[in-house]
Amino acid sequence: MDAQGMCCDRISELPDSLLTHILSYLSTKDSVKTGVLSRRWELLWLKVSGLDLNTMDFLPYGGEALLSFMDRFLEFNRGWCQQTFKMKYCRCTETDSSIRLVEWIPELVHRRVQHLILENEGSPYSLDIMPDCIYVSKTLVTLKLVYVVLKDLKFAVSLPCLKNMHLENNYIYILYNDAPNLDALCLIDYVSSGGRLIMENLISGSPVLENVTLFFGLWQEEFSSSWTNVPQCLSSTLEYVKIGVNIMWNEAGIKLVNYFLENSVVLKKLTLSCKDSHTDKREAESYKKLLTSTKLSPRCQVLVD
């Protein structure tokens, strides 16, 4: 290659559509930094079909900087579909009043957002209540919510395109789920007056579920009765179950694990996880002896990690 070829700026020859696609793999903070490269790049980050924000990046400028940023981005992209919205935020910072999720989420749903990820890293006593529109989105594919409130509804949840749901440390009330394409469900330490019912509704409303992850404690009295309902996914699609070993500390948790073993026709792996637990792997291995059920799936392995 001659010297002229070596100096050629191949990236600048790419169309804006390809450049913005490349920028979509960066955090918004890093994407904005590319604006100093040239006049062409100055506004290119505004055309990216997603945001990946951490509100701590707006300090020490305060909430006004975040508001100005969001207003500018939404105005510039008015009428465009929004593919992804990720935000890590903290309700304990000076940006509290500027985190207007109740206003932004309806706008994002209206713009047909596909991947919505909200992670509150602040106080569990100052939580956002998710607006109704989030429960009936026709375009959501991924939904991850950490430390928010999912309120009781007067209507059924309907998320026809949802494939991945992750709910962590949330306050959940009665949640009726209709997610015909959901294949991965993760529930971690949720707070609810009807924990068993929440879990049953989410699993029962997901007929093609393949992967379930459960990390939470069970109250003995709540799970004392036998499970009789067998959701469709256990009969046909559920292949992987991961359960936090803490569940095994009482009889109710043992019943839960046995329930999956007894009723999952195509289950390939059930894992007892020691993650975030005071239980070591050797102790966790001993819990396997408490699983007295005959595995319905002959291929199923019971593992400890």
Side-chain angles (χ1 to χ4, degrees), residues 180 182 203-204 206-211 230-240 260 263-268 296-297 299:
L182 188 71
I203 293 176
S204 297
S206 308
V208 297
L209 200 59
E210 297 178 2
N211 195 317
V230 179
Q232 181 179 335
C233 62
L234 270 69
S235 301
S236 57
T237 60
L238 187 64
E239 296 183 344
Y240 301 98
F260 282 108
N263 295 285
S264 301
V265 176
V266 296
L267 191 64
K268 294 180 179 179
L296 184 59
S297 171
R299 296 186 299 169

Side-chain angles (χ1 to χ4, degrees), residues 140-142 159 161-165 181-185 209:
L140 271 179
V141 176
T142 302
L159 299 165
C161 292
L162 192 67
K163 295 183 69 66
N164 191 315
M165 179 187 287
N181 292 298
L182 188 71
D183 59 34
L185 171 66
L209 200 59

Side-chain angles (χ1 to χ4, degrees), residues 188-204:
I188 300 177
D189 289 332
Y190 63 87
V191 178
S192 172
S193 59
R196 171 179 172 176
L197 186 57
I198 294 292
M199 182 172 58
E200 284 186 334
N201 285 339
L202 288 172
I203 293 176
S204 297

Side-chain angles (χ1 to χ4, degrees), residues 254-270:
I254 297 170
K255 285 184 177 180
L256 174 65
V257 178
N258 279 323
Y259 171 81
F260 282 108
L261 291 175
E262 292 172 0
N263 295 285
S264 301
V265 176
V266 296
L267 191 64
K268 294 180 179 179
K269 185 188 298 183
L270 187 146

Side-chain angles (χ1 to χ4, degrees), residues 22-275:
I22 293 171
L23 290 179
S24 69
Y25 289 94
L26 302 178
S27 69
T28 299
K29 178 181 179 181
D30 291 332
S31 179
V32 172
K33 289 179 180 179
T34 64
V36 302
L37 296 176
S38 70
R39 180 172 295 181
R40 180 191 178 191
W41 285 81
E42 186 176 355
L43 298 178
L44 203 58
W45 66 270
L46 282 166
K47 299 179 182 179
V48 177
S49 62
L51 286 174
D52 183 357
L53 300 172
N54 188 329
T55 58
M56 299 300 289
D57 293 334
F58 291 87
L59 298 176
Y61 305 105
E64 289 302 317
L66 175 60
L67 278 177
S68 176
F69 177 90
M70 285 298 300
D71 288 344
R72 184 185 183 194
F73 184 87
L74 293 174
E75 179 62 31
F76 187 88
N77 290 285
R78 184 172 296 279
W80 293 10
C81 292
Q82 201 68 39
Q83 186 173 14
T84 302
F85 184 81
K86 301 179 183 179
M87 177 177 281
K88 288 186 178 181
Y89 64 100
C90 181
R91 281 295 179 197
C92 301
T93 70
E94 61 183 278
T95 60
D96 282 6
S97 61
S98 62
I99 304 172
R100 298 180 179 175
L101 293 179
V102 176
E103 297 176 17
W104 297 336
I105 290 175
E107 179 63 25
L108 292 165
V109 171
H110 176 71
R111 297 186 184 203
R112 304 178 64 81
V113 66
Q114 296 179 26
H115 308 283
L116 182 62
I117 299 172
L118 304 174
E119 300 183 52
N120 177 14
E121 299 180 328
S123 169
Y125 304 106
S126 180
L127 306 180
D128 294 286
I129 299 175
M130 293 295 97
D132 289 356
C133 63
I134 202 173
Y135 303 101
V136 290
S137 167
K138 303 301 182 185
T139 58
L140 271 179
V141 176
T142 302
L143 179 62
K144 180 177 181 179
L145 302 174
V146 179
Y147 266 137
V148 301
V149 177
L150 299 171
K151 64 181 181 180
D152 193 5
L153 301 173
K154 305 302 181 183
F155 56 88
V157 174
S158 178
L159 299 165
C161 292
L162 192 67
K163 295 183 69 66
N164 191 315
M165 179 187 287
H166 180 115
L167 303 178
E168 181 174 348
N169 290 314
N170 297 313
Y171 286 73
I172 306 177
Y173 298 92
I174 300 302
L175 187 62
Y176 296 95
N177 185 48
D178 179 17
N181 292 298
L182 188 71
D183 59 34
L185 171 66
C186 180
L187 293 174
I188 300 177
D189 289 332
Y190 63 87
V191 178
S192 172
S193 59
R196 171 179 172 176
L197 186 57
I198 294 292
M199 182 172 58
E200 284 186 334
N201 285 339
L202 288 172
I203 293 176
S204 297
S206 308
V208 297
L209 200 59
E210 297 178 2
N211 195 317
V212 171
T213 300
L214 303 172
F215 281 81
F216 51 82
L218 301 178
W219 293 105
Q220 184 75 21
E221 61 274 14
E222 187 178 354
F223 286 81
S224 58
S225 59
S226 299
W227 288 31
T228 56
N229 175 48
V230 179
Q232 181 179 335
C233 62
L234 270 69
S235 301
S236 57
T237 60
L238 187 64
E239 296 183 344
Y240 301 98
V241 174
K242 176 177 282 191
I243 297 180
V245 73
N246 289 354
I247 286 179
M248 300 286 289
W249 288 355
N250 59 43
E251 184 180 353
I254 297 170
K255 285 184 177 180
L256 174 65
V257 178
N258 279 323
Y259 171 81
F260 282 108
L261 291 175
E262 292 172 0
N263 295 285
S264 301
V265 176
V266 296
L267 191 64
K268 294 180 179 179
K269 185 188 298 183
L270 187 146
T271 303
L272 298 176
S273 176
C274 298
K275 179 184 177 183

